[in-house]
Structure formats: C-alpha cells, structure tokens
Amino acid sequence: MASVGKSTNIFWQECSVGKLDRQKLLNQKGCVVWITGLSGSGKSTLACTLGRELHSKGKLSYILDGDNLRHGLNKNLGFTAEDRAENIRRVGEVAKLFADAGLICIASLISPYRRDRDSCRALLPDASFIEVFMNMPLELCEARDPKGLYKLARAGKIKGFTGIDDPYEPPLNCEIEIKQENGCCPPPSDMARQVVDYLEEKGFMHE
Ligand SMILES: Nc1ncnc2c1ncn2[C@@H]1O[C@H](COP(=O)(O)OS(=O)(=O)O)[C@@H](OP(=O)(O)O)[C@H]1O
Ligand SMILES: Nc1ncnc2c1ncn2[C@@H]1O[C@H](COP(=O)(O)OP(=O)(O)O)[C@@H](O)[C@H]1O
C-alpha cells in the first residue's frame, strides 16, 4: 500500500504480460525520443520524418506533439512557467507509458526548461530517454515563422513567447544535436537519419 501525491491507500497492480514480452512481439525496444527547441526550429518536421522512416523499417512509433496535445489532454494549460511545467510533466508520463508499451515514442515540445526535461528523463529507465536538441538560431526560426507567431510576439500581441520575451534553456547534455552545417539546416531526411543511426547503434531497433 502506498501514498503518492494526493492519492492514499493505493496499490500497484502487476500483470503477467510485461514490457519485455511486448518488446519481443514488436522486435524493438521501447524508448522516448524527446525533441526540444524553439518554435519553428523543425521539431514537428523531424518528428514526422522520423515517424515515417521508422514505419518504413517496420518499427512502431507514436508522436506526442505539444501543439496537438494542447487541443485535448493539455487544453486547460497556458504558457506560464507553471503551466509549461505541468504540460511537460503530463507528456513525460504519457511518453513513459508508450515506452513501456514497447513503442518508440517521439515527443516534440518546446520544453524550454532544463529542469522539466530532466524530470522526464528521470522517469525513464537508463538510457531510454534520448534528448534531441534542435539547435537552430532564433533568426532562422523567426524568418521561417510558418504560423506568424513571432510577428505577433514582436508586435506585443502575444506575451511570453519563447525566445522573444520568455526563456529557452538549451540542453547541457543531450544525446543528439541537430544544427546547421555551413550555414544551412540539414534536410529533414538527414535529420531523421541522425536519430535512426543513434537508435540502431544503441540497440533500440531490435529486441
Ligand atoms: N507563448 C508561447 N510560447 C511558445 N509557443 C507558443 C506560445 N503561444 C502559442 N504557442 C504555440 O504553442 C506551441 C508550443 O507548445 P508546447 O506544448 O510545445 O510548449 S511548451 O513545451 O509547453 O513550452 C508552439 O508550437 P511550435 O511552433 O510547434 O513549437 C506554438 O505554436
Ligand atoms: N530541415 C529543414 N529544412 C528546411 N525547412 C525546414 C526544415 N525543418 C523544418 N523546416 C520548415 O521550418 C518550419 C518550421 O518547422 P516545424 O517543424 O513546424 O517547427 P516546430 O515544430 O519546431 O515549430 C516549417 O515551415 C518547416 O517546413
């Protein structure tokens, strides 16, 4: 019997089919690929390209996209530091469940605070939290501005916009860094290959 948070008198229910059984069925290892970076840095593009690439290799993945989750699970949250922390906490917990199900879970959120990302890392078993930093300059993200949000933020019509008047803390110890080479952003297929190569090398692509 345990007490967790506000829950008291709760028990952990074990079942006979476990993570290892599911991984065997899928011939892959469950993990979380956590993509962090500024708005417009290419998180969703990498997530979708990676998801497609894994699918073509017969690997089961699922994308948790910050923007999308804010239409449902996280629709009661805004963009204060507290709400962002709760957003990341919830997505971290959901990602943990997907990884336990044996999937390669791809989480794509700005996740601007190091502490919040590290809390998610701490939820996952050793080495199965793979942090991918989209290290793109603000100037590039702002020039892309596919949703017109930077323009609104610069005009003061959105307050607390990441990179403009709200902080972004870059990772200090990420597993993968995606950055410009010779002043150019690598094409989406190259970004995805960098992650697939890592997953291959670390043994996540096979049980
Ligand atoms: N104030 C502010 N700051 C940053 N982003 C904003 C803001 N308001 C709305 N948006 C839109 O919300 C998307 C980011 O949601 P996330 O859940 O990834 O954000 S966070 O991780 O909780 O910081 C983000 O999507 P991406 O552009 O895909 O990153 C924006 O479209
Ligand atoms: N590797 C890339 N090369 C060229 N354009 C890109 C690349 N990655 C993303 N983009 C473009 O940049 C914009 C922002 O990308 P997106 O994936 O929506 O970023 P985020 O999810 O971080 O907000 C989109 O218009 C997208 O097509």
Side-chain angles (χ1 to χ4, degrees):
M1 193 162 44
S3 295
V4 182
K6 288 185 182 171
S7 301
T8 50
N9 308 318
I10 53 168
F11 297 79
W12 186 265
Q13 181 68 53
E14 284 294 348
C15 293
S16 61
V17 179
K19 183 180 184 184
L20 292 178
D21 303 296
R22 292 186 285 273
Q23 292 189 155
K24 203 166 271 183
L25 200 67
L26 295 166
N27 188 28
Q28 62 185 55
K29 289 198 189 85
C31 62
V32 175
V33 175
W34 189 281
I35 306 170
T36 172
L38 293 172
S39 176
S41 59
K43 300 183 298 297
S44 305
T45 302
L46 171 57
C48 294
T49 312
L50 176 61
R52 167 59 52 197
E53 183 63 20
L54 290 171
H55 187 78
S56 74
K57 289 179 179 295
K59 301 300 158 191
L60 191 58
S61 68
Y62 193 82
I63 297 172
L64 300 175
D65 183 276
D67 236 345
N68 292 354
L69 294 172
R70 283 175 174 277
H71 286 78
L73 177 69
N74 294 329
K75 67 181 170 189
N76 63 328
L77 300 175
F79 290 92
T80 61
E82 296 71 34
D83 279 9
R84 290 185 200 250
E86 175 59 10
N87 186 34
I88 301 313
R89 188 193 71 78
R90 284 183 201 171
V91 179
E93 291 286 356
V94 174
K96 177 184 173 181
L97 296 178
F98 273 103
D100 188 55
L103 274 74
I104 298 171
C105 180
I106 305 166
S108 159
L109 299 99
I110 296 179
S111 41
Y113 296 107
R114 222 169 269 141
R115 192 177 65 167
D116 298 339
R117 296 191 302 266
D118 286 347
S119 302
C120 294
R121 180 185 287 276
L123 292 173
L124 271 293
D126 257 3
S128 61
F129 182 90
I130 300 146
E131 193 171 352
V132 181
F133 174 33
M134 302 301 297
N135 189 2
M136 298 299 154
L138 174 65
E139 299 71 45
L140 174 69
C141 302
E142 196 169 353
R144 286 174 169 170
D145 204 11
K147 304 170 194 159
L149 298 178
Y150 280 102
K151 200 163 176 236
L152 291 173
R154 287 288 185 198
K157 291 181 181 153
I158 301 178
K159 301 273 181 233
F161 196 79
T162 306
I164 304 298
D165 56 348
D166 224 50
Y168 178 81
E169 299 172 356
L172 299 175
N173 52 2
C174 61
E175 280 70 16
I176 301 173
E177 183 181 2
I178 311 273
K179 58 179 179 197
Q180 291 185 307
E181 283 152 25
N182 306 319
C184 292
C185 179
S189 55
D190 286 9
M191 306 197 299
R193 187 158 319 114
Q194 213 179 315
V195 180
V196 171
D197 286 352
Y198 182 92
L199 294 173
E200 293 269 17
E201 186 193 320
K202 300 292 176 184
F204 289 103
M205 299 288 275
H206 299 281
E207 182 273 326

